[in-house]
Amino acid sequence: MSDSPTAPRTAVLLGAGASVDAGLPTTFTFARQLVEDITATLGRDRTIVKTLNFVYGAMVNHRTERGGDPFDAVNVETMISAIRLLRDRGTHEVAPFIQDWKPGVGRYASSSRGVQGAALIKALESDRRFSPGREVEAAVRAIIADSDAPSNGDLYDELERLIRTRARRLLLQHGDVSYLAPLIELGTTQPGGLDVATLNYDLTVEACARSLGVALSRGPERMGLGTAWEFDPGAAIRLHKIHGSIDLHAHDSVRSLTRKAYVVVDTSNDDFPPDIVIGDRDKLGSGGRTLALLVAFASALQKASKLVVVGYAFADPHVNDIILDWLHTDESRTLTVLDPSWPHSHSYREGIRAELTSELDDLTSPRIHVVRATTAEALHRALHEDPPAVPDPRLQVEVSWEGAVATVTFTNHGEAIEGFGVGPGGYSTPHPNALSIEREDAIPDRMVYRQQSVPVFAHGESLNVTVSWDNRPVEAALRTFGNEIARSHSGTWPIIEPESAPDTENVAGAQ
């Protein structure tokens, strides 16, 4: 049974791309920016900086050795995950299968070793005067035990806290957020307000709402596990900060039957590691806050007929599952994606984005609409524009003959079709000697006999396809195919010989 709303309703999901227009980094540029900031702040000679440079450099080298782009080698999530794995490498479940780690992993000593060395020196000095060597023996045993330890985990633990602290400092420095005004305004005009889920830690949405004098609720900042997440019912914006926020300060990290860890809002300029969920493998291990917020957003999403996804790369499986479950529950629901870098070619290597376009293809009822633009350029459009209806005819086809050569003109009246191609219509019709699309970027398909395609067949564009036979057939056919952002198109179009039809034959809609 569907939970479809009785009236159209919009919900919004924000990814890192939604904050780029405020001068904040993406997950990839953020990692590099953090390394540069920490190095500039602490200096290159600090042990913790050398450790960070080792981790970042090793990850970049690993990518480039395999021919990858060094600038896209490390994002902040994978960097944190790597640091945590190195911290716990002695007890990690894969430890029994790894004989030797990269030499640099344990190169830098943790701070405790310096303390133990000082203890040995003190013991040697005192033993020369007073004791028979018990203090020296104890200090040496401590150093041996430490050198035999499987990891210098406290150093990596300190590095993670430093990264979170500096991340907070950098994310506090956002610029103008007025481009988010359409989001806040929708919350004031849509009955019942607007549910916005964000995977970002920054305060851009809060700042925009505050500048417009609009009430925004993030729910209670103190909440025990197993408690339903509740928002201020009078707020125009209900902001689900699923992965935490840079203004949340943990006041107790120890949890037991009698003690509960909690966080409070801290708007000071103090440096502290904020309560954020960061790292590829730890998104659901945040003491229950992420789970509670995910459940709250999934519940709110069931009341929406449209989800607008802004600047999200579909990289979090737990978030993707919520989106796909919501889409598949009701065929009237639509997804609008605002993303300037959405791929222009359909490829299954694109992961969830390819799955969305292939699983939800529908010629008569488009369900996925992509706006290729930045948030500042097209947020209002994405929030208010419905997926375009499919025109009738979708493609208009005109045929003219000159001898045994036919010129077929296709005109696209709908949205752009990606990978649009033309080829022989089937085994039962005469196959052409040659077929070509008169466009410079036309590509012959080596897998299919005399078939050509173009990367994008734009809205309103006309394509001329020249086809030749040895003898003019009484009737032949061409097959068109292609993948587009909102749906796919495939059809077979008869090519009718002039003696049995007018010189120009419109066969639009014949599929």
Side-chain angles (χ1 to χ4, degrees), residues 21-231:
D21 288 310
L24 296 181
T26 65
T27 55
F28 285 98
T29 58
F30 197 21
R32 189 164 65 250
Q33 189 174 342
L34 280 166
V35 172
E36 293 171 351
D37 174 77
I38 290 173
T39 302
T41 302
L42 300 182
R44 296 183 179 276
D45 294 333
R46 293 282 293 272
T47 297
I48 199 166
V49 175
K50 292 179 180 179
T51 304
L52 173 61
N53 287 331
F54 161 74
V55 172
Y56 185 83
M59 296 178 75
V60 170
N61 289 339
H62 180 77
R63 177 69 174 269
T64 54
E65 284 171 359
R66 287 157 177 77
D69 185 348
F71 296 106
D72 287 340
V74 187
N75 68 50
V76 69
E77 303 278 4
T78 54
M79 186 170 72
I80 288 290
S81 292
I83 289 170
R84 287 174 178 163
L85 189 150
L86 294 174
R87 177 193 64 194
D88 301 329
R89 66 188 185 276
T91 57
H92 197 277
E93 56 267 27
V94 301
F97 307 98
I98 299 177
Q99 183 174 1
D100 293 307
W101 292 84
K102 195 176 183 70
V105 168
R107 178 186 304 163
Y108 303 107
S110 62
S111 57
S112 62
R113 297 187 187 183
V115 173
Q116 291 160 0
L120 174 59
I121 293 174
K122 182 178 179 181
L124 287 170
E125 291 176 346
S126 63
D127 280 2
R128 282 201 300 268
R129 296 191 298 268
F130 303 111
S131 67
R134 293 177 182 175
E135 292 184 17
V136 172
E137 180 183 0
V140 171
R141 286 181 181 276
I143 291 174
I144 293 174
D146 186 62
S147 65
D148 289 340
S151 72
N152 48 351
D154 55 344
L155 180 62
Y156 288 102
D157 195 43
E158 182 184 355
L159 178 57
E160 183 195 336
R161 290 195 301 272
L162 174 63
I163 290 174
R164 288 196 290 131
T165 300
R166 296 310 301 176
R168 175 181 183 273
R169 175 63 62 181
L170 291 174
L171 292 178
L172 282 172
Q173 300 170 17
H174 65 74
D176 181 21
V177 295
S178 60
Y179 69 94
L180 292 172
L183 185 73
I184 308 304
E185 291 165 357
L186 179 59
T188 64
T189 58
Q190 178 170 263
L194 177 66
D195 286 284
V196 179
T198 178
L199 308 178
N200 303 329
Y201 317 120
D202 61 66
L203 305 176
T204 53
V205 178
E206 294 93 324
C208 187
R210 185 168 56 252
S211 69
L212 296 174
V214 174
L216 178 148
S217 174
R218 301 195 323 194
E221 306 301 349
R222 298 191 187 192
M223 178 167 287
L225 299 182
T227 306
W229 201 268
E230 297 179 354
F231 292 86

Side-chain angles (χ1 to χ4, degrees), residues 333-361:
R333 291 170 173 168
T334 62
L335 172 68
T336 295
V337 178
L338 179 56
D339 183 353
S341 62
W342 191 274
H344 273 280
S345 60
H346 183 76
S347 168
Y348 285 99
R349 290 176 296 176
E350 294 294 341
I352 186 65
R353 295 189 287 187
E355 292 176 22
L356 284 170
T357 55
S358 62
E359 288 186 21
L360 299 172
D361 284 345

Side-chain angles (χ1 to χ4, degrees), residues 161-450:
R161 290 195 301 272
L162 174 63
I163 290 174
R164 288 196 290 131
T165 300
R166 296 310 301 176
R168 175 181 183 273
R169 175 63 62 181
L170 291 174
L171 292 178
L172 282 172
Q173 300 170 17
H174 65 74
D176 181 21
V177 295
S178 60
Y179 69 94
L180 292 172
L183 185 73
I184 308 304
E185 291 165 357
L186 179 59
T188 64
T189 58
Q190 178 170 263
L194 177 66
D195 286 284
V196 179
T198 178
L199 308 178
N200 303 329
Y201 317 120
D202 61 66
L203 305 176
T204 53
V205 178
E206 294 93 324
C208 187
R210 185 168 56 252
S211 69
L212 296 174
V214 174
L216 178 148
S217 174
R218 301 195 323 194
E221 306 301 349
R222 298 191 187 192
M223 178 167 287
L225 299 182
T227 306
W229 201 268
E230 297 179 354
F231 292 86
D232 181 354
I237 304 291
R238 291 176 293 277
L239 185 61
H240 306 246
K241 302 203 77 169
I242 293 174
H243 292 159
S245 183
I246 57 172
D247 62 349
L248 295 181
H249 196 166
H251 270 228
D252 193 348
S253 59
V254 179
R255 184 179 292 104
S256 67
L257 290 175
T258 57
R259 298 178 66 185
K260 182 176 69 175
Y262 65 93
V263 295
V264 297
V265 174
D266 189 334
T267 58
S268 69
N269 289 324
D270 296 340
D271 285 332
F272 62 84
D275 185 63
I276 56 178
V277 183
I278 190 169
D280 285 334
R281 296 176 178 83
D282 299 283
K283 294 293 178 63
L284 298 181
S286 60
R289 290 172 56 82
T290 293
L291 287 172
L293 280 163
L294 278 172
V295 170
F297 180 66
S299 177
L301 191 56
Q302 292 302 318
K303 303 173 185 177
S305 57
K306 174 182 177 180
L307 174 63
V308 179
V309 175
V310 182
Y312 170 54
F314 291 87
D316 289 325
H318 54 286
V319 176
N320 296 342
D321 287 344
I322 291 175
I323 295 173
L324 290 175
D325 286 346
W326 172 79
L327 273 170
H328 288 241
T329 300
D330 189 330
E331 293 184 358
S332 68
R333 291 170 173 168
T334 62
L335 172 68
T336 295
V337 178
L338 179 56
D339 183 353
S341 62
W342 191 274
H344 273 280
S345 60
H346 183 76
S347 168
Y348 285 99
R349 290 176 296 176
E350 294 294 341
I352 186 65
R353 295 189 287 187
E355 292 176 22
L356 284 170
T357 55
S358 62
E359 288 186 21
L360 299 172
D361 284 345
D362 189 338
L363 272 172
T364 59
S365 179
R367 302 185 59 198
I368 301 178
H369 180 42
V370 172
V371 179
R372 288 192 184 91
T374 67
T375 310
E377 291 169 343
L379 180 58
H380 184 275
R381 174 186 165 194
L383 292 172
H384 296 281
E385 181 179 88
D386 292 326
V390 179
D392 185 18
R394 177 69 173 84
L395 287 179
Q396 183 176 345
V397 184
E398 296 179 335
V399 184
S400 62
W401 288 83
E402 184 176 343
V405 177
T407 299
V408 186
T409 301
F410 293 91
T411 302
N412 180 17
H413 295 294
E415 289 290 289
I417 302 175
E418 298 186 349
F420 178 81
V422 180
Y427 294 107
S428 62
T429 62
H431 277 225
N433 295 324
L435 181 152
S436 63
I437 298 178
E438 295 178 351
R439 214 171 81 173
E440 290 183 358
D441 58 351
I443 304 169
D445 191 329
R446 298 176 183 175
M447 303 299 293
V448 181
Y449 182 68
R450 290 191 176 90

Side-chain angles (χ1 to χ4, degrees), residues 451-471:
Q451 175 173 298
Q452 286 203 350
S453 62
V454 293
V456 179
F457 185 19
H459 166 75
E461 182 182 4
S462 293
L463 285 177
N464 290 326
V465 180
T466 301
V467 192
S468 64
W469 290 267
D470 285 334
N471 298 299

